[in-house]
């Protein structure tokens, strides 16, 4: 886990390939809703934003594109 941005109380946490320790930390330290944790575990979760009183939960997807130069 990496904390990329912290401004006052705002934090942006970016996680690649989270494991059970990450999920436990999200639930216990950051108090994420259990349904958000379940969404994180799904490989086919659609991008979305859930707004709560004390945090925003975002699911984002990115695709890596590679290109080869042909001569």
């Amino acid at each position: 886990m990496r904390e990329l941005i912290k401004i006052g109380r705002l934090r942006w946490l970016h996680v690649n390939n989270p494991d059970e320790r990450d999920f436990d930390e999200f639930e216990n330290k950051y108090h994420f809703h259990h349904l958000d944790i379940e969404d994180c575990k799904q490989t086919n979760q659609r991008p979305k934003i859930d707004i709560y009183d004390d945090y925003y939960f975002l699911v984002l997807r990115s695709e890596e594109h590679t290109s080869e130069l042909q001569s």
Side-chain angles (χ1 to χ4, degrees):
M1 181 181 333
R2 280 187 283 173
E3 187 171 290
L4 297 179
I5 298 172
K6 183 177 179 182
I7 302 171
R9 291 182 28 182
L10 175 66
R11 292 184 186 151
W12 176 275
L13 300 175
H14 179 83
V15 180
N16 285 326
N17 302 316
D19 59 23
E20 285 302 318
R21 290 178 298 168
D22 293 315
F23 297 131
D24 289 343
E25 184 174 355
F26 295 153
E27 193 163 13
N28 297 320
K29 182 177 181 180
Y30 297 106
H31 309 288
F32 280 21
H33 193 279
H34 70 276
L35 293 177
D36 293 335
I37 302 297
E38 291 301 316
D39 288 346
C40 289
K41 293 179 179 181
Q42 299 297 318
T43 58
N44 61 347
Q45 178 61 45
R46 296 177 66 186
K48 69 174 191 166
I49 299 174
D50 290 335
I51 300 173
Y52 297 94
D53 290 338
D54 54 349
Y55 72 96
Y56 294 160
F57 177 77
L58 288 76
V59 174
L60 305 173
R61 296 183 63 96
S62 67
E63 302 292 330
E64 289 188 35
H65 297 281
T66 59
S67 62
E68 297 180 18
L69 296 176
Q70 296 181 2
S71 52

